[in-house]
């Protein structure tokens, strides 16, 4: 037994501790920008060992300056990765290899010694869907099959970055090594990167180590020199006990901007578990009512289900104001007074482009036409961008090119001009309604947590959980229609607990226990479930959504103030009909359909949740959650 353990350790160290060999090659490292000696010893070691593995031509330590950014853009233009969008200020269009357009959940792994630490054990014969586990040996093999010499002829960029305001006690530092200048430019927008973090590292040398390469196909042939990648062998690896992320083969989104899903959620959730806080796939918004009272709300919706839109909402209810703290990730911790406080660890928005319009999200439209990288959107002959939803901007004289670089006309083409997962990458500080406290190192106080998804049938517009435990159950039983943000096809309804299914850094059952335990750490906020996507028999949305969602927030904040405006239902508390504000709404709302709780639907829903828990979570399901399911079933049975 002991010898097996020892052998594993030695082999493990082999891939990240080349010892003698590493030091020898390190002497030949050519650092062409920045001073490696300023970095803490651990960081130097990480860089040297990675360089001796990947064999880059040279090393560039990023300072985050404007000069550096100009240099990167120059490189990217030369390489053909970016083209200028002359209509706007400092905006660029990137087209990826069409095989590299979204996160690849099937190739994303968490590495722990014990499989049970990463994923619950599914029922015999059932494939687990709550994450992928990889053993330390297999991770080592995966790295050794892909990384040796993968950066040959390329520059290895060193990106010191902070998730959260630099120096905040809620923030954490990462160092990403990458051979992609596109990733450098994107990280410069999405994180606080460069000199400020170098200084912070002098005070605190702990960091998450992130190694990334766009890779190089096994046969050496790079199909699209403007977007090198290796889709066949793409792999995204996380090693929580070493705060380590290793990503190979993809240059886009959550696969390559390692601060986002890999660090802030997967590694983040494991750190949060250890340290007693929460790392969640949630937007954070501030809402001020007509009396001038302000509250902050966090909301978890799956990818491409409306977080950016809600975070930047323009309320239609008069007198209301929404301000944005973050649109994708929240790190939440109780302060010494037992108040839950949240920071947005990011520095930019990596938002879905299609559907973003003046009508639906004017605030995003006011944010994104400066200093922004657009990826896989269409472009127009006047130097601007185009995507589905911008039809009214089309005039015959303007020619559209689709995301693949082909001429596109609306009548002729059935395929969309922009890829459904095309995105803008834009600085958060440009958002006209960015919250004054968005960079507050203490975070903002959270008064409510929302869960939601795309549910075309059965699930009402909004309901309130009866208690914290019931709320955790509501999060655990979330389901949503698949979207283009990942590799899933079709509109199947998938279980996506807490909107975290692709992002759990550890066993979902343990995650549930951790959430349940929050009640002992401070004053827990009220929990709600929302669904903007319910459809009528005619297949049309029953609710206009977007700015009209302020009516839902209005009811929610009145509930936070304990106003008597709710009635009990078997699934939770619903708005009293007369209390839900519809004043000034010109479209006819079928309230009965929108809020209906149908017995047959919910019996099926309960059965689906029961099956899911049984097949996927098994013995790791906390009793409290099993009990909430039992109670729900009893309440529905009695309907
Ligand atoms: P990620 O960045 O992938 O995490 O996505 P997200 O949750 O931020 O989703 P986003 O706000 O970008 O919305 C995705 C899609 O949902 C867009 O096409 C929106 O137009 C649409 N959407 C957002 N809010 C609403 C709404 O209230 N009603 C309807 N019908 N559609 C909405
Ligand atoms: C998501 O899929 O939830 C995103 C995009 O926010 S990505 O950064 O690619 O994960
Ligand atoms: Mn997201």
């Amino acid at each position: 037994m002991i010898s097996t353990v020892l052998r594993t350790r030695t082999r493990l160290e082999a891939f990240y501790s080349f010892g003698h060999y590493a030091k020898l090659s390190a002497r030949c490292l050519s650092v062409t920008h920045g001073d490696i000696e300023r970095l803490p010893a651990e960081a130097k070691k990480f860089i040297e060992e990675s360089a001796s593995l990947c064999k880059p031509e040279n090393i560039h330590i990023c300072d985050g300056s404007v000069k550096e950014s100009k240099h990167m853009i120059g490189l990217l233009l030369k390489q053909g990765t970016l083209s200028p969008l002359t209509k706007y200020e400092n905006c660029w269009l990137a087209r990826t290899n069409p095989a590299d357009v979204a996160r690849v959940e099937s190739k994303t792994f968490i590495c722990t010694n014990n499989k049970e630490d990463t994923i619950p054990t599914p029922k015999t014969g059932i494939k687990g869907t709550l994450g992928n586990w990889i053993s330390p040996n297999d991770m080592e093999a995966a790295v050794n099959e892909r990384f040796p010499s993968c950066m040959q002829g390329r520059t290895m960029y060193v990106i010191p970055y902070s998730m959260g305001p630099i120096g905040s006690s809620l923030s954490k530092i990462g160092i990403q090594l990458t051979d992609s200048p596109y990733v450098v430019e994107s990280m410069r927008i999405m994180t606080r990167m460069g000199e400020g973090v170098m200084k912070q590292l002098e005070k605190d040398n702990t960091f998450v180590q992130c190694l990334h390469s766009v890779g190089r196909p096994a046969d050496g042939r790079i199909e699209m020199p403007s977007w090198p990648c290796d889709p066949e062998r793409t792999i995204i690896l996380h090693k929580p006990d070493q705060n380590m992320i290793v990503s190979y083969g993809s240059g886009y989104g959550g696969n390559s901007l390692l601060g986002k899903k890999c660090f802030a959620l997967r590694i983040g959730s494991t750190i949060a578990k250890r340290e007693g806080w929460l790392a969640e796939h949630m937007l954070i918004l501030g809402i001020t009512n007509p009396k001038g009272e302000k509250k902050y709300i966090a909301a978890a919706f799956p990818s491409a289900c409306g977080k950016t839109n809600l975070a930047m909402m323009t309320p239609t209810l008069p007198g209301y104001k929404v301000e944005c703290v973050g649109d994708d990730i929240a790190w939440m911790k109780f302060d010494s007074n037992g108040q839950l406080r949240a920071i947005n660890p990011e520095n930019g928005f990596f938002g879905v482009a299609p559907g973003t319009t003046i009508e639906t999200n004017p605030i995003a439209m006011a944010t994104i036409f400066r200093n922004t990288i657009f990826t896989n959107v269409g472009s127009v002959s006047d130097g601007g961008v185009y995507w589905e939803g911008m039809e009214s901007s089309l005039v015959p004289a303007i020619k559209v090119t689709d995301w693949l670089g082909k001429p596109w006309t609306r009548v002729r083409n059935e395929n969309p001009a922009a890829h459904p997962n095309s995105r803008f990458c834009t600085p958060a500080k440009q958002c006209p309604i960015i919250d004054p406290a968005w960079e507050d190192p203490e975070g903002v106080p959270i008064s409510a947590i929302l869960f939601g998804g795309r549910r075309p049938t059965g699930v009402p517009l909004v309901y309130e959980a009866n208690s914290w435990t019931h709320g955790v159950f509501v999060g655990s039983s979330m389901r949503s229609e698949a979207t283009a943000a990942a590799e899933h096809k079709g509109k199947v309804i998938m279980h996506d607990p807490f909107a975290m299914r692709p992002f759990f850094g550890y066993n979902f059952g343990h995650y549930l226990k951790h959430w349940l335990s929050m009640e002992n750490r401070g004053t827990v906020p009220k929990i709600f479930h929302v669904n903007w996507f319910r459809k009528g028999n005619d297949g049309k949305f029953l609710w206009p959504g977007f700015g009209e969602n302020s009516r839902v927030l209005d009811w929610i904040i009145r509930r936070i103030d304990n106003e008597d405006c709710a009635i009990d239902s078997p699934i939770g508390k619903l708005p009293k009909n007369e209390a839900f504000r519809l004043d000034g709404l010109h479209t006819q709302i079928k309230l009965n359909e929108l809020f209906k709780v149908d017995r047959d639907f919910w019996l099926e829903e309960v059965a689906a949740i029961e099956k899911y828990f049984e097949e996927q979570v098994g013995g790791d399901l906390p009793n409290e959650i099993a009990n909430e399911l039992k109670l729900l079933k009893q309440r529905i049975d009695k309907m």
Side-chain angles (χ1 to χ4, degrees):
M1 183 63 203
I2 287 173
S3 72
T4 328
V5 172
L6 279 180
R7 202 167 59 235
T8 319
R9 293 250 331 253
T10 324
R11 283 223 234 128
L12 233 190
E13 277 157 16
F15 95 75
Y16 245 116
S17 188
F18 301 92
H20 184 60
Y21 169 61
K23 281 196 196 86
L24 273 183
S25 350
R27 266 191 231 131
C28 318
L29 290 182
S30 132
V31 179
T32 50
H33 186 274
D35 180 4
I36 197 170
E37 300 304 327
R38 280 183 65 198
L39 285 162
E42 278 300 309
K44 244 182 87 180
K45 184 162 168 267
F46 169 49
I47 296 166
E48 287 172 358
E49 289 174 359
S50 302
S52 75
L53 175 66
C54 305
K55 302 260 184 323
E57 179 93 9
N58 51 48
I59 296 176
H60 173 125
I61 300 168
C62 298
D63 59 21
S65 65
V66 173
K67 189 173 159 216
E68 181 178 76
S69 171
K70 289 206 167 123
H71 169 73
M72 294 297 158
I73 298 284
L75 275 177
L76 288 162
L77 288 170
K78 211 166 104 192
Q79 199 177 295
T81 313
L82 295 186
S83 51
L85 290 163
T86 51
K87 191 171 170 181
Y88 323 116
E89 187 190 325
N90 192 29
C91 286
W92 313 92
L93 170 64
R95 289 202 182 96
T96 71
N97 181 315
D100 187 19
V101 292
R103 281 183 295 100
V104 278
E105 286 167 25
S106 58
K107 298 175 178 192
T108 300
F109 297 86
I110 310 282
C111 175
T112 48
N113 290 327
N114 301 316
K115 191 173 184 176
E116 293 69 30
D117 290 339
T118 295
I119 45 173
T121 309
K123 199 170 155 180
T124 320
I126 300 284
K127 192 187 173 316
T129 56
L130 282 160
N132 303 309
W133 174 78
I134 190 168
S135 72
N137 282 345
D138 288 349
M139 173 160 167
E140 183 194 331
V143 170
N144 287 332
E145 273 163 27
R146 291 165 176 83
F147 277 87
S149 302
C150 68
M151 294 188 188
Q152 232 162 31
R154 297 178 186 158
T155 298
M156 182 169 91
Y157 299 96
V158 179
I159 311 170
Y161 67 95
S162 176
M163 296 312 287
I166 296 173
S168 158
S169 65
L170 295 166
S171 300
K172 305 267 175 208
I173 288 178
I175 298 180
Q176 177 165 348
L177 313 182
T178 181
D179 52 4
S180 163
Y182 166 89
V183 166
V184 173
E185 272 309 279
S186 305
M187 287 291 283
R188 186 168 184 268
I189 295 170
M190 294 307 297
T191 72
R192 284 97 176 158
M193 176 265 253
E195 183 53 32
V197 182
M198 289 288 271
K199 292 216 176 81
Q200 185 62 23
L201 275 167
E202 286 163 14
K203 289 182 229 158
D204 178 2
N205 65 3
T206 48
F207 64 95
V208 171
Q209 61 181 64
C210 315
L211 173 61
H212 170 249
S213 172
V214 293
R216 189 186 296 278
D219 63 6
R221 276 191 42 226
I222 293 175
E223 211 177 306
M224 201 173 146
S226 58
W227 192 273
C229 58
D230 187 1
E232 295 265 300
R233 297 194 297 169
T234 291
I235 194 160
I236 294 108
L237 302 157
H238 306 72
K239 212 156 191 293
D241 63 358
Q242 287 175 20
N243 283 340
M244 180 200 283
I245 301 160
V246 182
S247 165
Y248 174 92
S250 163
Y252 188 51
N255 297 338
S256 71
L257 314 180
L258 301 188
K260 202 174 180 45
K261 301 296 156 86
C262 297
F263 180 169
L265 292 180
R266 297 195 193 96
I267 295 292
S269 64
T270 67
I271 300 175
K273 168 89 187 332
R274 288 200 293 272
E275 297 181 352
W277 49 278
L278 298 169
E280 301 299 328
H281 191 202
M282 291 180 181
L283 68 94
I284 310 163
L285 65 80
I287 178 161
T288 308
N289 71 9
K291 287 187 238 160
E293 297 156 347
K294 184 164 188 177
K295 290 188 172 66
Y296 288 95
I297 294 175
F301 312 153
S303 302
C305 288
K307 288 184 299 303
T308 303
N309 278 272
L310 187 64
M312 296 182 192
M313 180 230 274
T314 306
T316 52
L317 271 186
Y320 271 97
K321 181 164 86 174
V322 164
E323 287 163 294
C324 173
V325 177
D327 80 328
D328 200 50
I329 297 171
W331 281 358
M332 303 190 286
K333 192 176 189 173
F334 285 106
D335 67 14
S336 52
N337 300 319
Q339 168 68 53
L340 188 63
R341 303 190 78 92
I343 61 163
N344 166 17
E346 301 192 279
N347 192 45
F349 307 121
F350 185 61
V352 180
T356 307
T357 66
I358 291 289
E359 292 77 38
T360 57
N361 193 347
I363 300 296
M365 293 297 272
T367 306
I368 60 181
F369 295 114
R370 281 172 295 145
N371 311 312
T372 298
I373 301 173
F374 296 88
T375 304
N376 288 340
V377 300
S379 58
V380 277
S381 50
D382 69 350
V385 290
Y386 179 80
W387 52 69
E388 281 48 48
M390 288 171 80
E391 288 78 5
S392 62
S393 71
L394 289 183
V395 288
I398 291 182
K399 299 264 173 296
V400 181
T401 304
D402 71 8
W403 68 280
L404 296 159
K406 304 235 164 60
W408 185 91
T409 48
R410 203 180 156 195
V411 263
R412 186 154 38 88
N413 293 61
E414 277 166 47
N415 291 331
H419 186 276
N421 192 39
S422 57
R423 294 187 180 248
F424 50 78
C425 178
T426 197
K429 64 170 189 283
Q430 288 182 189
C431 176
I433 58 159
I434 197 75
D435 193 81
W438 87 281
E439 298 200 274
D440 189 333
E442 307 293 318
V444 297
I446 296 296
S447 301
I449 290 174
L450 277 47
F451 294 120
R454 274 176 198 266
R455 298 303 305 266
T457 54
V459 179
L461 180 63
V462 58
Y463 64 93
E464 179 186 330
N466 299 324
S467 65
W468 179 254
T469 306
H470 179 230
V472 176
F473 164 75
V474 169
S476 73
S477 56
M478 276 170 66
R479 300 172 74 200
S480 191
E481 215 171 51
T483 67
E487 76 239 76
H488 309 290
K489 298 269 182 304
K491 293 207 157 183
V492 16
I493 304 281
M494 297 169 68
H495 290 270
D496 192 350
F498 294 78
M500 281 287 281
R501 185 190 37 74
F503 311 120
F504 291 120
Y506 62 97
N507 184 313
F508 170 54
H510 306 169
Y511 170 97
L512 285 172
K513 289 194 184 82
H514 183 55
W515 261 80
L516 290 167
S517 78
M518 285 293 142
E519 211 172 9
N520 309 323
R521 293 175 187 271
T523 316
V524 286
K526 273 194 162 58
I527 294 177
F528 299 82
H529 188 282
V530 299
N531 175 29
W532 318 141
F533 300 93
R534 193 168 189 175
K535 289 178 177 170
N537 295 334
D538 56 1
K540 296 209 175 94
F541 289 122
L542 286 166
W543 180 246
F546 302 102
E548 302 297 357
N549 294 334
S550 57
R551 298 170 189 279
V552 177
L553 296 186
D554 162 76
W555 182 75
I556 286 172
I557 61 180
R558 284 155 57 204
R559 286 300 302 151
I560 299 167
D561 289 337
N562 291 315
E563 193 186 308
D564 176 20
C565 55
I567 46 160
D568 283 323
S569 90
I571 62 169
K573 295 178 170 53
L574 292 170
K576 280 188 182 163
N577 251 348
E578 64 285 4
F580 190 76
R581 285 189 60 184
L582 290 173
D583 49 300
L585 189 59
H586 297 301
T587 45
Q588 192 62 40
I589 302 295
K590 296 174 187 153
L591 267 193
N592 283 343
E593 275 189 64
L594 190 59
F595 282 105
K596 186 169 184 208
V597 178
D598 178 74
R599 185 170 184 272
D600 289 343
F601 172 90
W602 279 94
L603 281 176
E604 277 175 36
E605 185 73 4
V606 163
I609 299 165
E610 198 167 18
K611 181 164 182 266
Y612 180 68
F613 285 167
E614 194 193 308
E615 290 185 352
Q616 293 292 331
V617 199
D620 287 320
L621 190 76
N623 291 334
E624 293 92 326
I625 300 298
N627 188 47
E628 285 295 337
L629 177 63
K630 198 179 91 197
L631 294 174
L632 174 63
K633 191 175 178 188
Q634 285 170 1
R635 292 194 301 263
I636 292 165
D637 264 332
K638 272 200 251 148
M639 269 176 92

